[in-house]
Amino acid sequence: MSAYDENESKLMRKVKENPFVPVGIAGFFAIVGYRLMKMKNRGDTKMSVHLIHMRVAAQGFVVGAMTVGVLYSMYRDFIVKPREEQKSMQNK
């Protein structure tokens, strides 16, 4: 049972460190699900074109989420942490 607790806490720690990873995964599945439901009403569009559009949209969302996550972590590491360190140095 302790291994389960360790894995769960590790997952929650990773989610707190990188909150945009679950957002990217959820967005990927949302776009794929939406495009699969929309496949019935694709009209005269070829199947391959529809699947390519679905793949590009899902990959674009994931890349966008990764980019925002990297920018957030850079902001946290290079702007927030130095400010906190300066405040702690001034308080000493």
Side-chain angles (χ1 to χ4, degrees):
M1 190 69 172
S2 65
Y4 177 76
D5 292 337
E6 290 174 7
N7 289 338
E8 184 177 332
S9 63
K10 184 178 179 180
L11 175 66
M12 293 308 293
R13 183 175 42 105
K14 290 290 186 180
V15 168
K16 288 178 184 176
E17 289 175 4
N18 300 315
F20 292 98
V21 171
V23 171
I25 293 170
F28 174 82
F29 284 116
I31 289 172
V32 169
Y34 172 73
R35 296 297 289 202
L36 286 174
M37 286 185 346
K38 194 176 173 184
M39 190 181 296
K40 291 186 279 185
N41 303 326
R42 72 178 190 266
D44 59 353
T45 306
K46 289 184 178 181
M47 174 72 83
S48 62
V49 173
H50 183 77
L51 293 175
I52 289 171
H53 289 167
M54 178 177 57
R55 180 185 63 93
V56 169
Q59 283 180 335
F61 188 88
V62 170
V63 169
M66 288 172 49
T67 302
V68 171
V70 167
L71 292 174
Y72 173 73
S73 67
M74 287 176 61
Y75 169 76
R76 190 179 55 201
D77 291 342
F78 296 113
I79 295 177
V80 174
K81 278 187 181 177
R83 284 183 188 168
E84 291 174 357
E85 290 173 358
Q86 284 179 349
K87 287 180 183 179
S88 67
M89 292 294 245
Q90 288 175 356
N91 291 337
K92 287 184 179 182

